[in-house]
Amino acid sequence: MARITVSIGSNIERERHVRACLDALDETFGPLAISRVFESEPVGFEDGRNFYNLVVAFDSNRSVGELQAWCKQLELANGRRKGVPKFSPRTLDIDLLTVGELTGRHDDVDLPRDEILQHAFVLKPLAELLPTAHHPLTGRCYRDHWGEFEAGQQRLWPVAFVWQGRHISAAE
């Protein structure tokens, strides 16, 4: 059994799609550890709609390929369109960040995902959720990576979010 982390993002009907994603993850993988939900300005997008972003952790014995296929199927089930430009608005984006301590390319997926150390909207929720967990390549904990992160223009802030009657996060 490995600890899996995924990042979730949406900038179309954000609350609806984040809730649907959490419901599906909970139904399929059981107990979830969930970061706060952050609103972030889009990075690299022409469309100016802000995103909701969060990180979720859970345990699974599925292969990387099975996990990746499950994530892509969930995106499609939530209206994600194939064949559109990379930086287009999206109903749901769910990406594997880590699968246990795996590193390198597995089932056409690079682990850990590069975006962990590149984007505030991934690193901040991950560092809050698993502050003392170690990045599989650097060996350093996520809290330390976040403490040294140069956010620059990558603004994000927590938003009020309730899922299944549970207050996931509150606005500051």
Side-chain angles (χ1 to χ4, degrees):
M1 193 74 72
R3 180 60 117 174
I4 314 301
T5 59
V6 295
S7 64
I8 300 167
S10 174
N11 73 341
I12 298 174
E13 296 182 62
R14 303 175 301 184
E15 288 186 20
R16 181 180 129 201
H17 291 108
V18 168
R19 283 192 183 99
C21 183
L22 291 172
D23 287 341
L25 285 166
D26 186 53
E27 182 179 316
T28 304
F29 299 104
L32 306 176
I34 306 169
S35 75
R36 291 191 295 173
V37 177
F38 291 88
E39 185 167 354
S40 64
E41 296 171 337
V43 175
F45 285 70
E46 295 293 323
D47 184 306
R49 288 183 265 189
N50 286 353
F51 276 83
Y52 275 3
N53 296 102
L54 64 154
V55 170
V56 174
F58 55 90
D59 296 320
S60 176
N61 58 6
R62 293 189 187 195
S63 72
V64 173
E66 290 169 326
L67 291 164
Q68 179 74 352
W70 188 90
C71 291
K72 295 309 153 198
Q73 182 57 42
L74 183 60
E75 288 177 348
L76 293 174
N78 278 275
R80 176 93 181 250
R81 295 174 298 153
K82 285 186 170 184
V84 297
K86 180 178 179 178
F87 293 108
S88 296
R90 53 206 53 193
T91 54
L92 182 63
D93 188 22
I94 179 169
D95 294 315
L96 285 174
L97 298 177
T98 62
V99 176
E101 296 297 316
L102 288 178
T103 61
R105 194 158 184 81
H106 300 270
D107 298 329
D108 291 328
V109 178
D110 291 320
L111 294 170
R113 191 167 180 90
D114 289 342
E115 284 83 357
I116 292 172
L117 300 178
Q118 296 172 349
H119 296 298
F121 62 83
V122 178
L123 183 56
K124 183 163 178 71
L126 181 58
E128 285 190 0
L129 182 64
L130 301 171
T132 61
H134 291 90
H135 186 281
L137 286 176
T138 69
R140 298 180 61 227
C141 68
Y142 295 118
R143 177 183 49 219
D144 290 348
H145 278 296
W146 177 249
E148 296 171 359
F149 188 78
E150 296 290 333
Q153 299 298 315
Q154 296 184 39
R155 292 191 43 227
L156 71 159
W157 53 94
V159 295
F161 197 89
V162 177
W163 171 68
Q164 294 185 352
R166 180 177 158 198
H167 290 270
I168 303 299
S169 63
E172 286 185 351

